[in-house]
Amino acid sequence: DLAQCRDKACLLKRLSGALGFDPARGDNWDALQSQLHDLRWLDGDGYVVLLDHSDEIQGAAEDDLDDALDIFDEAGEFWRSRKVPFWTFMAMRTTRVSVA
């Protein structure tokens, strides 16, 4: 849940907490990438990550969100090369705009 998350520090903290990462491994992009490559402690045949309320950080720190998405994309390639499903989804609110 990225609600009210507006910067890289918050984004990394939320991801770390939700995915159960070891906080001693660091809170930077390299640590996120490393930890996404080592998910063997999670049960299952594959991985799905839902980034809920992504629109909030997109509006406040779009570059940080883009960096995170690049890392998730790379993690997907890493797992696909091992024949393990890995998917990342973003949930965003949409605003309806009326044009007169």
Side-chain angles (χ1 to χ4, degrees), residues 60-75:
E62 189 168 349
D63 289 343
D64 291 334
L65 180 60
D66 287 346
D67 289 342
L69 293 176
D70 286 344
I71 292 168
F72 276 100
D73 185 51
E74 190 280 327

Side-chain angles (χ1 to χ4, degrees), residues 72-90:
F72 276 100
D73 185 51
E74 190 280 327
E77 293 298 321
F78 172 85
W79 287 108
R80 275 189 288 286
S81 73
R82 286 153 178 78
K83 309 240 185 289
V84 176
F86 182 97
W87 297 94
T88 305
F89 295 94
M90 292 174 56

Side-chain angles (χ1 to χ4, degrees), residues 9-76:
C10 179
L11 175 62
L12 289 169
K13 182 177 180 179
R14 298 273 180 92
L15 291 172
S16 179
L19 295 170
F21 291 154
D22 178 1
R25 289 184 65 183
D27 57 351
N28 55 56
W29 295 133
D30 290 336
L32 175 61
Q33 183 176 31
S34 173
Q35 292 180 97
L36 287 173
H37 287 192
D38 183 15
L39 298 173
R40 62 188 146 180
W41 50 271
L42 292 172
D43 291 332
D45 296 324
Y47 309 101
V48 176
V49 177
L50 172 63
L51 304 174
D52 199 12
H53 298 104
S54 299
D55 50 328
E56 294 192 31
I57 191 162
Q58 182 185 35
E62 189 168 349
D63 289 343
D64 291 334
L65 180 60
D66 287 346
D67 289 342
L69 293 176
D70 286 344
I71 292 168
F72 276 100
D73 185 51
E74 190 280 327

